[in-house]
């Protein structure tokens, strides 16, 4: 339960609160009035957190709509599968040529997934959070490029924000491909290898029964 809450907290912080706060700050600086907060600091912090979270949810759904084509992208899916097959072939070739198989990457992967089983997928939720964060930042960056000139007087800052948004987009593409890759890897080691082990065990039992 604690692990689940930590993942949810990371996901909300990255993909909701931070983009939401940046959007609120942009709207306040572009269209709001420079007025002082009349209440105490704690109230301001709680209000800012709640508003940022709500606005962040809106940004999250806007980003999902804008970049929905990345959710189940065939090109990225195929590229990840091709890369996994190439890496797998290279690792198996390395293992076959190694004098000590326990030093190979393929032995490490098989052992890792066999020992950790479903827990070996714990690195995927953080990747999903990173993907969602970069996706939301692309939308927020676009808003800053469109409206930031109202309070940002330096052109280089607008250019830097635009470049940062492009970098976020590239990271988002790369992260989505890595997520596909790790799903193929997990399927191979968790499902296919288990099926092979079960088949080998059944065959061994049948041979023993025949011999008896």
């Amino acid at each position: 339960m604690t692990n689940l809450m930590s993942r949810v907290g990371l996901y909300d912080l990255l993909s909701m609160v931070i983009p939401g706060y940046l959007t609120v700050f942009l709207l306040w600086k572009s269209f709001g009035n420079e007025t002082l907060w009349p209440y105490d600091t704690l109230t301001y912090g709680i209000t800012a957190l709640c508003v940022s979270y709500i606005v962040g949810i809106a940004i999250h759904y806007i980003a999902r709509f804008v970049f929905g084509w990345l959710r189940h992208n065939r090109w990225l899916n195929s590229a990840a599968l091709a890369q996994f097959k190439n890496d797998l072939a290279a690792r198996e070739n390395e293992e076959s040529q190694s004098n000590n198989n326990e030093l190979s990457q393929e032995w490490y992967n098989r052992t890792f997934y066999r020992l950790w089983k479903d827990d070996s997928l714990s690195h995927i939720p953080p990747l999903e959070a990173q993907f969602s964060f970069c996706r939301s930042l692309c939308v927020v960056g676009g808003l800053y490029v469109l409206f930031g000139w109202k309070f940002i007087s330096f052109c280089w800052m607008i250019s830097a924000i635009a470049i940062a948004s492009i970098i976020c987009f590239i990271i988002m593409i790369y992260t989505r491909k890595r997520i596909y890759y790790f799903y193929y890897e997990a399927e191979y080691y968790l499902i296919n290898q288990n099926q092979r082990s079960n088949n080998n065990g059944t065959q061994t039992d049948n041979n023993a029964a025949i011999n008896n």
Side-chain angles (χ1 to χ4, degrees):
M1 184 67 180
T2 303
N3 192 24
L4 176 61
M5 291 299 295
S6 64
R7 293 179 185 177
V8 172
L10 173 65
Y11 183 83
D12 284 350
L13 176 65
L14 289 181
S15 63
M16 309 290 183
V17 177
I18 295 178
Y21 178 80
L22 292 175
T23 304
V24 171
F25 178 78
L26 171 67
L27 296 176
W28 176 61
K29 296 293 290 186
S30 300
F31 306 103
N33 297 322
E34 296 288 341
T35 57
L36 296 177
W37 180 257
Y39 308 106
D40 58 279
T41 305
L42 178 61
T43 305
Y44 172 80
I46 295 175
T47 303
L49 178 64
C50 295
V51 174
S52 298
Y53 186 71
I54 294 172
V55 174
I57 292 175
I59 293 295
H60 174 75
Y61 282 107
I62 293 173
R64 284 187 62 179
F65 175 78
V66 173
F67 298 106
W69 53 276
L70 275 177
R71 191 66 182 173
H72 302 288
N73 186 273
R74 289 190 174 184
W75 181 84
L76 287 177
N77 199 333
S78 301
L81 178 59
Q83 181 180 350
F84 170 70
K85 288 183 177 179
N86 290 336
D87 292 345
L88 179 63
R91 290 196 298 261
E92 290 178 342
N93 183 54
E94 174 192 3
E95 185 180 40
S96 63
Q97 295 179 357
S98 176
N99 294 328
N100 188 354
N101 291 340
E102 293 185 357
L103 297 178
S104 66
Q105 182 66 35
E106 182 61 16
W107 172 87
Y108 172 84
N109 286 0
R110 287 200 306 267
T111 305
F112 174 79
Y113 281 96
R114 185 177 69 252
L115 294 178
W116 289 97
K117 296 182 173 59
D118 292 340
D119 290 337
S120 61
L121 301 177
S122 60
H123 58 287
I124 293 182
L127 286 177
E128 292 282 3
Q130 294 169 17
F131 172 79
S132 181
F133 178 58
C134 290
R135 184 178 60 187
S136 295
L137 281 189
C138 287
V139 174
V140 174
L143 293 175
Y144 269 81
V145 171
L146 291 176
F147 303 109
W149 56 269
K150 290 193 173 185
F151 66 95
I152 299 177
S153 56
F154 300 103
C155 293
W156 65 268
M157 292 186 65
I158 299 294
S159 300
I161 293 173
I163 293 173
S165 300
I166 295 173
I167 293 175
C168 283
F169 179 78
I170 295 173
I171 295 175
M172 180 179 62
I173 297 291
Y174 175 79
T175 304
R176 173 51 63 188
K177 182 181 176 182
R178 294 299 294 170
I179 292 172
Y180 281 132
Y181 180 95
F182 287 128
Y183 274 123
Y184 281 119
E185 186 178 73
E187 181 186 31
Y188 178 80
Y189 289 106
L190 289 178
I191 299 177
N192 295 343
Q193 297 285 35
N194 289 338
Q195 289 177 350
R196 292 177 185 177
S197 299
N198 293 335
N199 291 336
N200 292 335
T202 302
Q203 184 176 3
T204 302
D205 293 339
N206 291 339
N207 292 336
I210 293 174
N211 293 333
N212 292 334

